[in-house]
Amino acid sequence: MRIFQPNVSEVIGPNNECLIIPVYQRRYQWNAERWQSLINDIAVRSEPGKSSIHWIGIVLISKRDTHPCPRSIKTYGHVETEIIDGQQRILTLRVWLQALFDFADEQGLELTRPEFVHIACQEMDRVDFANVLDGNWKKQWKNYSKNSSGLMHAYTYFRYLLWLGADALTETEPLTLPKKSNKQLTTDEDIFDEWQTAINLANNRVQKIGDSTSGDLIVRSHAPNIEALIETTLSSLTFVSLETEQGDEEPSEIFDALNGQRMELEQFDHVRNFIFTGIPELDNRKDLYDSCWILYERAVEQHKGLLPKEPFNSFMYEYLISLGEGKYQQKISRHQTKVQFVRYFNSARSNASHEAIARDSLLPAIRNWLCACINGQKFSIGDTVFELPEQSQRKLFLIQQLSQGPATPLLMNVINGYFESSMNSEAKDSLLRQISAVESFLARKVIITKGLQALRSQLMQIADKLGSNFTEAELIESLHKARPSDSNIIEILLPTNGVYETTGKDLYERIAQKSLLSIFQGIENYRSGGKSVDLFQGGEDKFTIEHIYPQSPKEWGSDLGLWGVQPQKMNDRLHVLGNLTVYPERVNKEMGNKRFGEKVKILTEPEKRIPLLQINATNFLRVKRWTPTDVDTRTKDLVDTFLKAYK
């Protein structure tokens, strides 16, 4: 590895190469806080008497990945060189210099504009970068949120600082760009007029309020010394440049070492860099990224609102579990998935090249994970459409409501088997049976368990045992062995000699409302032969879990006395399965804590248009009173149906 200390002009000035930001790297992400810090450093060091050298970071360049440049229009041997690390600083400095020279031109300063090396941006930044270099910023100017990024935003921010004057450059805190009005801009000067109007309005508000909490006045100062700023940027700012050569450690390992203490990079970013820096042929890297990788990332981005926070990191965690890596490595960690992925890659369990593992394992797993997370609904990756059969979609939705994700690694492999098959009627039936087995396992665990952590741990153990390639029979057998038995569920949920166990007694308080509603949906589906009402539908018929004997039973006093029922016996049954039911949220207020007969009347009035659910049709809406015996009878009835629905 070559190590030397170039200044900015030596890195991005005219030379016999083009700098390429690999397609697999993240898009530009610096924001105003970073921009202001950099410009403050430059402005301070441009003042007379200041130190002439200022180190601004490390640049990692892969010289061993140098290739003949397709833009070979200058001299023989012109090459393109990849920037493995340092793209954020290099692009920021290039945009800053563009802003300086453009500002100088508009001020009528006659400065010699040097040539700069060609920089090929990551795909998502190319349009912004081209507009910056082509002088289209005024046409592209828009309102930016405080923490947003982007090369055009950076350029606009720099131009605003230069327009405000020298004092703005030395501010230690980032400034806020004025908001763009709806006024149509007709001349180049209109943008500066808008800025002036905006700061006048802001200053008027400060002066009118007249207190220190309303902000400071925004004042334009004397013009900055553009020549000094350019000279300082080009000559005084220096990098430590690391150039990898043949025989060096993998670029991805060096990249990880350099970025190990930063918070910006996610685990998936490290995995991406590991994959692509391990593919020696430039054409193969580009083909993998352009024809496959970017399409999968875009698909995830398009559904981000339906996915877990930090979706790609969540994917890596569940991908490793789906491989069964917990059997071979220490507990899979969300914060160490890159390291654990590399261990898997280097083991005999993988036996694949960087490109092969991306095409044959990692990318299909993204597809399967996305499908599981969005409940099998239709989605596209490039021109290819993926979708699961409708029955499987409904069950995946109920699985999500039951447990919020711990079964995803198993489901990824089930879904993969379907997509990699002929997807005929036999494959559809097998898919449904496997998903149903997962749902039954979850429902049985959830209905008798407090908290999901133990459930997640048990599912990870099952995934470790099965690995990524298992048959339908192997999955069903593993789940059946690990799930609670009928007798176990009966013992917990049904009373013994009229007394409920604590776990059965506290069902309503112990289980999340979505999980409980999902269980009622499963019971309703079974009783109605699959033609039941969707209990999760929105609108006026959104359903909620409610108590038959209410939590505030003051109005029930006379009825309990008439029926010869001790209130304590009803209180002991308040949260058990048999005292819970489902009805539309729109009748909640009307139902309130009303007496039993009044509740039944409301739920059966034709004008209310309340769907008649099978879980309510017997031993609730057809009895005349609601006593401990009735609660116990309904509990047994629902438990019996539960065991059949989730057999």
Side-chain angles (χ1 to χ4, degrees), residues 536-554:
F536 287 91
Q537 66 184 329
E540 65 173 10
D541 275 337
K542 176 183 177 182
F543 287 87
T544 56
I545 304 291
E546 302 297 338
H547 293 76
I548 301 173
Y549 176 72
Q551 298 185 73
S552 299
K554 290 182 179 180

Side-chain angles (χ1 to χ4, degrees), residues 29 188 260:
Q29 291 188 321
D188 285 347

Side-chain angles (χ1 to χ4, degrees), residues 546-552 555-556 583 587-595 599 602:
E546 302 297 338
H547 293 76
I548 301 173
Y549 176 72
Q551 298 185 73
S552 299
E555 296 186 29
W556 282 57
Y583 53 75
V587 297
N588 272 357
K589 186 175 182 180
E590 187 175 358
M591 296 278 282
N593 299 315
K594 283 185 169 58
R595 298 162 62 188
K599 285 190 173 185
I602 292 171

